[in-house]
Amino acid sequence: MSLLAFSLVLFAICLLAGLLGSLLGLGGGIIVVPALTLLFHVDIRLAIGASIISVIATSSGAAAAYVRERITNLRVGMFLEIGTTLGAVTGAYVAGLVSGRVLYIIFAAVLGYSALRMFAGRTQGEGHHDVPPDALADRLRLHSSYYDPAEAREISYRVTRTPVGLGLMYVAGMMSGLLGIGSGALKVPAMDLAMRLPMKVSTATSNFMIGVTAAASAGVYFLRGDVNPYIAAPVAAGVLVGATVGSRLLPKLHSQAIRAIFVAVLLFIAVDMFVKGLA
Amino acid sequence: MTGTEISAALATVGAPSLPDEDERVRRTEVAISLVLRIGVVVSLLVVVAGVIDGMVRSPAERTSATLGHSLISRGATFPHSFGSLFTGLGHGDPASIVAAGLLLLVLTPVLRVAVSILTFAYQRDAVFVVVTAFVLAVLIASFFLGTAGG
């Protein structure tokens, strides 16, 4: 295969991965890594190195929209990035120490979890009432409000269990650095369930944080020689274009039947990755 | 309704967003984000230029049958340190141009964090200046700490 053909096929596959990722509300990374390893037989570390670059491209490209929506809680995001960046550096180091087979198995577990969680659906609650007091959240002035167009009013919310959230973010960052994914599926519950941020705020803030998290592990991958320019370039460009087109032109998939099909496909891929890890 | 309330209400009608502190910060953030989006486009252009340069310059090598294996396996034949990157750029090496473009892309969120420090300093928010500076320190350190394994 010539470099041109390789680049074009890779670009096309990653465009589809980015499109599918944005349709499902998952990142592109979690689909790109299986595509590269299972379809192209790319070494999983190179796949992860390319994927982490694509995560940054997508996040930086879309960041303006998340801030403009006035839903993102910038203070919460910046504070929790202490956890995600430290976790991402840890994850990137661990990825260099464990074998490729371990990476396949962890990836399979996170992919399976993300797929199931996506199917469980998302409750669009307008916030939680009577949250327990949290001195750290008060001190950092994390409480905020956002405008909900559906209800046509400003909804204020209080943030709680900030230390627990920070700890969970360390884990989310570690998975991001270890597997080259945005790990939004781990960041959102940390804010939604633990810190009691409204679902919409959690999702927007998670999307805002993903690029900074990914940047913290990209340097380690680059220095280790796992960012192959000729793989990372078409992958980053493909995912970026796919995700942009997906978020602009296509509405999110709300049909439970179609979601069920995709969840089945993702679970199948997860099993495939798991088997590859055992082989 | 007092006169000031009416004029405040009119001001809100005229401007879609509230002119309070939060809104000013948010506008700054949107502006930063737009600049970073331009950064993404510029770095991708550098990447594409490098890829095309690579294809034009050595088509024979690039179409060889061994290419496939060398692309999907580890064992770097491309720059993966700042030293080799700058040397490669000096020679106009296509792989180095692509890698430089990708590194520019990686720097976009780092730059965003750096600018946020200034935003918080402008608000005289000492705690968040420290928080953001710490995040920036972790990001910068990640490029110099080493690799662990290989």
Side-chain angles (χ1 to χ4, degrees):
Chain A
M1 196 188 286
S2 74
L3 182 65
L4 179 64
F6 181 84
S7 302
L8 288 180
V9 175
L10 213 52
F11 176 82
I13 296 271
C14 291
L15 196 145
L16 287 176
L19 201 64
L20 187 62
S22 78
L23 269 173
L24 295 175
L26 294 167
I30 207 148
I31 301 172
V32 161
V33 174
L36 289 177
T37 53
L38 301 177
L39 296 178
F40 280 89
H41 308 291
V42 170
D43 187 292
I44 190 164
R45 288 166 208 277
L46 295 182
I48 291 171
S51 174
I52 203 79
I53 303 284
S54 77
V55 169
I56 297 171
T58 313
S59 177
S60 287
Y66 297 127
V67 181
R68 207 184 304 117
E69 282 170 355
R70 279 185 79 253
I71 296 179
T72 304
N73 188 324
L74 293 170
R75 299 175 76 85
V76 168
M78 194 55 80
F79 179 72
L80 293 179
E81 271 163 5
I82 293 177
T84 62
T85 50
L86 286 176
V89 173
T90 313
Y93 273 105
V94 172
L97 300 174
V98 300
S99 75
R101 291 169 51 179
V102 174
L103 293 176
Y104 271 106
I105 290 170
I106 300 175
F107 199 100
V110 173
L111 177 59
Y113 161 79
S114 303
L116 287 176
R117 202 184 152 273
M118 188 195 81
F119 187 58
R122 33 202 69 193
T123 45
Q124 295 280 353
E126 88 272 22
H128 307 269
H129 303 286
D130 304 326
V131 301
D134 177 16
L136 187 58
D138 296 341
R139 172 105 175 75
L140 295 168
R141 293 192 284 124
L142 299 182
H143 316 296
S144 184
S145 65
Y146 72 101
Y147 181 75
D148 191 320
E151 300 201 21
R153 68 186 178 99
E154 192 82 9
I155 295 171
S156 60
Y157 57 91
R158 294 183 65 78
V159 177
T160 188
R161 286 195 286 269
T162 310
V164 178
L166 189 64
L168 290 173
M169 283 299 170
Y170 178 79
V171 177
M174 189 150 120
M175 285 305 145
S176 172
L178 191 60
L179 306 175
I181 59 176
S183 77
L186 296 167
K187 290 187 176 94
V188 173
M191 284 184 273
D192 175 41
L193 299 177
M195 300 176 69
R196 296 300 189 92
L197 270 76
M199 189 67 192
K200 283 182 184 173
V201 179
S202 304
T203 309
T205 307
S206 162
N207 288 337
F208 169 75
M209 294 168 63
I210 280 172
V212 175
T213 309
S217 56
V220 180
Y221 279 95
F222 168 72
L223 294 173
R224 202 190 284 141
D226 283 341
V227 180
N228 183 331
Y230 288 111
I231 294 178
V235 169
V239 173
L240 179 64
V241 172
T244 308
V245 170
S247 62
R248 293 236 175 116
L249 298 183
L250 304 159
K252 288 265 189 301
L253 284 178
H254 289 300
S255 158
Q256 283 293 49
I258 299 174
R259 290 184 86 87
I261 294 170
F262 279 124
V263 170
V265 171
L266 291 179
L267 287 178
F268 177 79
I269 296 172
V271 170
D272 220 8
M273 297 284 283
F274 187 75
V275 169
K276 200 150 184 198
L278 292 182
Chain B
M1 197 183 260
T2 67
T4 42
E5 275 174 344
I6 291 169
S7 57
L10 284 175
T12 337
V13 173
S17 41
L18 304 168
D20 61 7
E21 180 78 16
D22 269 9
E23 192 52 43
R24 281 222 315 279
V25 172
R26 212 166 281 276
R27 278 187 196 168
T28 316
E29 288 284 340
V30 170
I32 299 165
S33 309
L34 288 175
V35 171
L36 292 188
R37 184 179 260 177
I38 295 168
V40 172
V41 173
V42 169
S43 39
L44 281 180
L45 287 178
V46 173
V47 167
V48 170
V51 170
I52 293 172
D53 189 35
M55 286 171 186
V56 171
R57 252 200 254 191
S58 49
E61 178 208 332
R62 298 299 176 202
T63 51
S64 72
T66 56
L67 176 82
H69 184 71
S70 73
L71 269 180
I72 62 171
S73 311
R74 298 180 81 211
T77 52
F78 45 85
H80 60 100
S81 69
F82 293 112
S84 59
L85 183 66
F86 285 123
T87 313
L89 282 178
H91 296 130
D93 166 43
S96 299
I97 297 173
V98 179
L102 295 173
L103 275 181
L104 279 180
L105 199 57
V106 173
L107 284 180
T108 54
V110 180
L111 191 66
R112 171 172 235 305
V113 172
V115 175
S116 295
I117 297 180
L118 298 178
T119 314
F120 285 122
Y122 177 72
Q123 292 177 275
R124 301 184 185 285
D125 190 334
V127 177
F128 265 81
V129 168
V130 174
V131 165
T132 314
F134 181 82
V135 173
L136 182 67
V138 173
L139 287 171
I140 294 172
S142 74
F143 282 89
F144 298 99
L145 284 174
T147 58

